Amino acid sequence: MIIINLKPIDSSFFERTTLDLAKQLLGKLIVHEYKDQTLIGKIVETEAYQGPLDRAAHSFNSLRTKRTEIMYQHPGLLYCYQMHTHVLINVVAGPRSVPHAILIRAIEPVSGLKQMKLNRPHIKKEVDLTNGPGKLTKALSIGMDYYGHQLFEKPLYISHAPPINENQIQIGPRVGIANSGEAANYPWRFSIKNNPYVSAYRK
């Protein structure tokens, strides 16, 4: 990929419906200006979570806690949380006071591959560097200190890239939420067809 005009996307990009934003994020670049490096990945997989009616969402039933509070703020903020030893990152979506978020599930490395490999030194296959939500944050050196960060501001931001055509987008159920009733079947997982960095599906 040829990178042109690498800069934070305008905040207005995030002001759209949650499902549309989940699709529009595909192909965009997530950029982390980390120390003396610029780590860049192309977003290839996302999942939308639409609380408070989505049983799979952390904000289901309008749950409002210290952890979920950021989802009630304006779109384009970073909602991150820790699962075991992994940090997972979400883009806050929807209008203010409507707690929606979009999980970034997988990216394709674009720049900074050497540092990504140093960040995940025991990975044998390059595709395993970033083909999962906990993997990509380690590769990009993203930690919990970015909770609430605006993704249209440096040093961690979303940047423009050529749009993905609708016919290139794979749509299906989300991953790992089998205990969430009918929400387990909502077709709110979006990925770029045939991209090797898309995570493996599991119920």
Side-chain angles (χ1 to χ4, degrees):
M1 174 184 291
I2 299 175
I3 302 173
I4 301 174
N5 197 26
L6 187 67
K7 65 179 182 180
I9 206 163
D10 190 84
S11 61
S12 62
F13 168 78
F14 301 98
E15 297 173 359
R16 60 184 78 218
T17 67
T18 301
L19 296 183
D20 184 41
L21 180 57
K23 291 188 285 187
Q24 292 297 324
L25 282 167
L26 295 176
K28 298 297 185 288
L29 303 177
I30 182 166
V31 183
H32 190 194
E33 296 179 356
Y34 175 71
K35 297 182 178 179
D36 60 344
Q37 307 248 1
T38 300
L39 308 178
I40 306 173
K42 180 173 77 172
I43 299 172
V44 299
E45 183 182 3
T46 62
E47 282 182 344
Y49 288 86
Q50 299 193 85
L53 301 178
D54 179 1
R55 291 182 65 87
H58 292 168
S59 53
F60 172 62
N61 207 23
S62 298
L63 180 67
R64 193 163 186 166
T65 65
K66 183 178 180 180
R67 182 173 80 161
T68 64
E69 177 62 31
I70 200 64
M71 284 194 282
Y72 289 84
Q73 308 308 314
H74 62 79
L77 298 177
L78 187 69
Y79 167 50
C80 51
Y81 62 93
Q82 195 144 5
M83 180 177 288
H84 307 299
T85 62
H86 302 291
V87 172
L88 279 63
I89 57 173
N90 300 256
V91 180
V92 173
R96 186 184 288 270
S97 299
V98 179
H100 291 185
I102 297 163
L103 175 66
I104 299 179
R105 277 204 60 85
I107 64 170
E108 177 183 338
V110 172
S111 183
L113 183 60
K114 182 178 179 180
Q115 183 62 48
M116 292 184 198
K117 289 180 176 179
L118 290 174
N119 292 344
R120 303 200 68 224
H122 303 298
I123 301 304
K124 295 181 180 180
K125 295 181 180 180
E126 187 173 304
V127 72
D128 290 329
L129 271 175
T130 55
N131 63 347
K135 298 177 182 181
L136 70 89
T137 53
K138 287 184 178 179
L140 293 177
S141 299
I142 300 173
M144 285 297 297
D145 52 323
Y146 276 109
Y147 178 92
H149 174 75
Q150 298 189 133
L151 285 167
F152 42 87
E153 291 186 353
K154 295 183 178 183
L156 177 64
Y157 58 94
I158 303 295
S159 181
H160 271 295
I164 301 299
N165 293 330
E166 192 78 22
N167 61 8
Q168 293 179 289
I169 297 176
Q170 183 81 39
I171 300 174
R174 295 169 295 182
V175 176
I177 55 168
N179 62 348
S180 58
E182 65 179 17
N185 298 315
Y186 294 166
W188 293 349
R189 178 191 185 210
F190 306 95
S191 60
I192 298 177
K193 289 181 181 178
N194 301 318
N195 187 286
Y197 287 88
V198 172
S199 64
Y201 178 74
R202 69 183 191 285
K203 291 186 177 181

